[in-house]
Amino acid sequence: MSLLNRVKELLDEAFEKSPELFLIDLSITPEDNITVVIDGDNSVTLDDCITISRAVEHQLDREEHDFSLEVTSAGALSPLKLPRQYKKNLGRTLEIQTQNGKFAGKLIDVQENTIEIEWKSREPKEIGKGKTTVNRTEKFNFEDIEKAVVVISF
């Protein structure tokens, strides 16, 4: 069994024991440097990273593979990759890049294949001079989203 397949198997077992956690990314270099990026439905703690790290490291044979292992959480500025990540960010402001442009708004709905955001826009009045504030919403298919990040405001 290849190192990649063995690590995937061990991660699957670890995530079964901690179902609130999930895999975002797994990479293994030709030098057997293993990098695992995880996220959680609520948050990811240092203990979560240690638990996942131990679940993998303690089951791999160093005689067979001379490896290094790094388990990290998806950073606050990391792009969202999985629908599960969108669900945990309901109510937060996202910046979304599609082929049609950039959009920013509050995430108000997550479905199986789509998300919906809302934002306020200043637009010219239909009658008379000046502008009025209008609430806008837009739905996006996951497949159309090139990049989405949570906007952190201080």
Side-chain angles (χ1 to χ4, degrees), residues 33-65:
N33 297 325
I34 305 165
T35 303
V36 177
V37 181
I38 63 173
D39 204 347
D41 291 327
N42 300 312
S43 65
V44 177
T45 66
L46 179 59
D47 286 340
D48 293 331
C49 291
I50 291 169
T51 298
I52 298 299
S53 177
R54 287 181 178 159
V56 173
E57 185 173 17
H58 290 235
Q59 300 301 318
L60 292 178
D61 184 359
R62 288 212 180 262
E63 298 291 325
E64 189 176 337
H65 300 285

Side-chain angles (χ1 to χ4, degrees), residues 6-149:
R6 180 66 178 136
V7 171
K8 284 181 180 178
E9 185 178 89
L10 293 170
L11 288 171
D12 287 345
E13 291 172 13
F15 292 131
E16 281 180 25
K17 293 176 184 171
S18 301
E20 72 283 0
L21 300 175
F22 52 95
L23 181 66
I24 297 297
D25 194 30
L26 167 63
S27 63
I28 301 177
T29 67
E31 297 80 29
D32 290 342
N33 297 325
I34 305 165
T35 303
V36 177
V37 181
I38 63 173
D39 204 347
D41 291 327
N42 300 312
S43 65
V44 177
T45 66
L46 179 59
D47 286 340
D48 293 331
C49 291
I50 291 169
T51 298
I52 298 299
S53 177
R54 287 181 178 159
V56 173
E57 185 173 17
H58 290 235
Q59 300 301 318
L60 292 178
D61 184 359
R62 288 212 180 262
E63 298 291 325
E64 189 176 337
H65 300 285
D66 183 22
F67 66 92
S68 69
L69 174 64
E70 177 184 16
V71 177
T72 64
S73 63
L77 301 176
S78 298
L80 304 179
K81 293 185 176 184
L82 302 175
R84 196 166 171 180
Q85 289 179 289
Y86 288 89
K87 287 179 184 171
K88 80 176 221 171
N89 286 294
L90 269 169
R92 297 182 80 184
T93 300
L94 299 185
E95 190 171 277
I96 299 169
Q97 177 69 46
T98 70
Q99 284 188 332
N100 297 328
K102 246 184 193 176
F103 302 85
K106 181 179 173 182
L107 181 61
I108 59 170
D109 189 34
V110 179
Q111 297 297 319
E112 188 175 327
N113 298 313
T114 63
I115 63 166
E116 185 173 5
I117 63 170
E118 73 175 0
W119 68 94
K120 294 184 185 311
S121 174
R122 296 285 292 164
E123 298 180 7
K125 291 182 177 179
E126 288 185 28
I127 300 173
K129 295 182 180 180
K131 292 188 175 188
T132 184
T133 301
V134 178
N135 287 331
R136 296 280 181 206
T137 62
E138 182 84 28
K139 282 191 179 190
F140 299 91
N141 290 318
F142 285 118
E143 62 195 32
D144 296 333
I145 298 172
E146 294 174 352
K147 183 177 179 182
V149 294

